[in-house]
Amino acid sequence: LSHQPIPMSGEMDKPLISLHLVDSDSSLAKVPDEAPKVGILGSGDFARSLATRLVGSGFKVVVGSRNPKRTAGLFPSAAQVTFQEEAVSSPEVIFVAVFREHYASLCSLSEQLAGKILVDVSNPTEQEHLQHRESNAEYLASLFPTCTVVKAFNVISAWTLQAGPRDGNRQVPICSDQPEAKRAVSEMALAMGFMPVDMGSLASAREVEAMPLRLLPAWKVPTLLALGLFVCFYAYNFVRDVLQPYMQESQNKFFKLPVSVVNTTLPCVAYVLLSLVYLPGVLAAALQLRRGTKYQRFPDWLDHWLQHRKQIGLLSFFCAALHALYSFCLPLRRAHRYDLVNLAVKQVLANKSHLWVEEEVWRMEIYLSLGVLALGTLSLLAVTSLPSIANSLNWREFSFVQSSLGFVALVLSTLHTLTYGWTRAFEESRYKFYLPPTFTLTLLVPCVVILAKALFLLPCISRRLTRIRRGWERDGAIKFTLPTDHALAEKTSHV
């Protein structure tokens, strides 16, 4: 199917949305009599928002309701609210804003609806979507065979219709078996400030109706990955920082679970996630060097990994930001205050009037500075990932921020981790239950990425990789096998 935005024609490229403010009684200014007339069947929240948007876009709206006197006050004063029979008599385009189970109640209007365009805006629930094999739009088309059914506007919320497309998604998937009906509805969507997207025939309605049912589909795998890393590192830190002192030293440190252990876990997750953003690029480059061509598909797992890098990076920033907030909360804990008092008492008892370790002071200063720089760089990456910011950058600018500055953030995070560990990796007391310190585990993947990136910067490898990405292929990278049969070989085209 061709999922391409439908181009604007004629004067449809002019902004037709009227910026009238809706009064407290939901009234709008009167529209001219020569405005195109549109019908709406239904009187719910979506129907009211749709009527408000249509009136503000210059359309004359007629709303069909089973009880027009009761529902008239809910609609803009410019919209005519009447019985369903009268509402469908004159408009050529009619929005069906009722639930699927109420479609049958409209069968009495079959004669008045003959030859008209019905726009189905309904959405099934997850249970209904699995229960019915045919979409709501296809079911509506089977009930009204003399009408042309168009599936559209089901992905737009009532709030977006009222507040305007700037506060929501502008794309409106549209599908129908009749190109003219699809074009008419597309022009209406453009007039309302939305961008129609051609989804093909009405058979695609089931796919269109499934769109609102998806809950962040691109975030499922990255979120599970982040949760898995968090659980693993949290359990590891629990064993080292809580369970080991309790079992071997009889010290109760379970109070560390809510804040201290979480704060130790979050930077580990953020650091590993950040390295996983750039690891698939390293693997892709290695594959291209090995194959000697860029015209072979990556494995599916690597292709999916590359597509989820944005979500993984944003989750890395989220964990890093939480780590910063938790770090600010550490001095506020009652346990921290007790530790300070106990340290002061020990200093007095030891007759030490001046406690100053130059190496530790410098280590902490550098550690904090690198952490702030790393978080600041990650913040810049997160901001440029927003569509509104990314669309304002050209490809070179976007690539520089996401690739070059992203690698700088990874290097800064690595230095931040190394200054935190300092010489602790070589101290026997740090290996609790013979388990190495957590920061040593987090360094494995980032160091592999940094070393591989440095290796790719070598002139001999860099030039070869650049040539491959510009279309060069190693001899024998792609082989064409001719038929062994002489008769078949003569029939082979040499064009």
Side-chain angles (χ1 to χ4, degrees), residues 13-29:
D13 55 340
K14 299 179 181 179
L16 300 180
I17 300 176
S18 177
L19 300 180
H20 295 302
L21 295 177
V22 181
D23 298 332
S24 59
D25 60 350
S26 300
S27 63
L28 292 172

Side-chain angles (χ1 to χ4, degrees), residues 64-90:
S65 175
R66 289 173 296 181
N67 194 336
K69 291 184 178 180
R70 185 180 62 183
T71 59
L74 302 175
F75 289 85
S77 59
Q80 178 186 355
V81 182
T82 182
F83 291 99
Q84 293 179 344
E85 294 79 2
E86 299 178 10
V88 301
S89 59
S90 55

Side-chain angles (χ1 to χ4, degrees), residues 21-160:
L21 295 177
V22 181
D23 298 332
S24 59
D25 60 350
S26 300
S27 63
L28 292 172
K30 294 289 183 179
V31 297
D33 294 335
E34 62 273 11
K37 184 178 291 187
V38 180
I40 299 177
L41 291 176
S43 55
D45 293 336
F46 190 88
R48 182 177 61 178
S49 300
L50 182 61
T52 303
R53 195 74 197 158
L54 287 169
V55 170
S57 302
F59 292 92
K60 188 174 182 180
V61 179
V62 183
V63 180
S65 175
R66 289 173 296 181
N67 194 336
K69 291 184 178 180
R70 185 180 62 183
T71 59
L74 302 175
F75 289 85
S77 59
Q80 178 186 355
V81 182
T82 182
F83 291 99
Q84 293 179 344
E85 294 79 2
E86 299 178 10
V88 301
S89 59
S90 55
E92 292 298 322
V93 179
I94 299 172
F95 287 84
V96 181
V98 298
F99 293 105
R100 177 188 178 116
E101 56 265 27
H102 300 310
Y103 285 173
S105 64
L106 303 177
C107 291
S108 59
L109 307 174
S110 297
E111 295 184 2
Q112 296 96 316
L113 292 174
K116 298 182 182 295
I117 299 175
L118 301 182
V119 183
D120 178 37
V121 299
S122 66
N123 278 320
T125 62
E126 292 188 21
Q127 183 178 0
E128 292 172 346
H129 184 72
L130 297 175
Q131 179 181 359
H132 302 295
R133 294 185 177 181
E134 60 180 357
S135 63
N136 290 358
E138 291 173 310
Y139 175 62
L140 182 64
S142 66
L143 294 178
F144 299 93
T146 59
C147 300
T148 301
V149 176
V150 179
K151 186 69 184 184
F153 290 95
N154 65 301
V155 301
I156 304 297
S157 65
W159 165 254
T160 301

Side-chain angles (χ1 to χ4, degrees), residues 40 107 268 321 384 394 452:
I40 299 177
C107 291
C268 300
T384 53
N394 60 39

Side-chain angles (χ1 to χ4, degrees), residues 335-357:
H336 179 75
R337 300 178 184 180
Y338 289 153
D339 287 339
L340 289 178
V341 174
N342 291 334
L343 180 62
V345 172
K346 289 181 180 179
Q347 185 176 353
V348 171
L349 295 177
N351 293 324
K352 293 183 180 179
S353 60
H354 183 71
L355 183 61
W356 183 274
V357 181

